[in-house]
Amino acid sequence: MLFQIFDAFKARLHESNSKVNQVALEALHKMIPLLKDNLSSVINMLIPAIVDNNLNSKNPGIYAAATNVIQALCQYLDNFLLLQPFCTKAQFLSGKAKQDLTEKLA
């Protein structure tokens, strides 16, 4: 059930409409403390959706929302769940997103 919900939700994280994208990130930020480790089944789908377009966004609202989501993931989820997806994404990122994710890994 959770997988189906987040499969649909991840499209909002790739949304070309910046307002929709930012609201989706802000909503995800609020969901993380409630769902915590229950997100383990969808974390490999969520991290690319959060990072790909949002962590390098020139829109300050989207960038701030994305960094808040990453921070919440680090705070509320077992770090072991985040290690592999963060490493995988960090290999292929560039710019500020690579720097931000590498700092989280460290």
Side-chain angles (χ1 to χ4, degrees):
M1 174 85 167
L2 197 61
F3 186 83
Q4 293 168 329
I5 292 168
F6 278 96
D7 191 40
F9 184 77
K10 78 175 181 177
R12 301 295 65 86
L13 297 171
H14 288 292
E15 181 69 46
S16 60
N17 181 324
S18 61
K19 290 179 183 177
V20 172
N21 192 333
Q22 185 173 341
V23 169
L25 286 164
E26 290 167 355
L28 181 58
H29 181 252
K30 292 176 185 173
M31 286 187 263
I32 291 169
L34 302 173
L35 296 172
K36 297 180 183 168
D37 287 334
N38 291 322
L39 291 172
S40 64
S41 64
V42 296
I43 202 68
N44 289 327
M45 168 192 356
L46 277 181
I47 290 183
I50 295 162
V51 171
D52 285 346
N53 299 323
N54 303 314
L55 215 48
N56 265 336
S57 178
K58 298 203 184 314
N59 180 317
I62 290 174
Y63 174 76
T67 56
N68 287 340
V69 168
I70 296 293
Q71 181 62 38
L73 288 171
C74 292
Q75 182 178 352
Y76 291 102
L77 271 70
D78 183 349
N79 288 337
F80 181 76
L81 293 173
L82 301 173
L83 184 61
Q84 183 62 46
F86 277 9
C87 285
T88 301
K89 285 313 300 176
Q91 287 179 324
F92 302 105
L93 290 172
S94 61
K96 187 138 179 68
K98 185 174 190 112
Q99 178 184 347
D100 289 344
L101 214 51
T102 303
E103 286 175 8
K104 289 296 177 196
L105 281 167

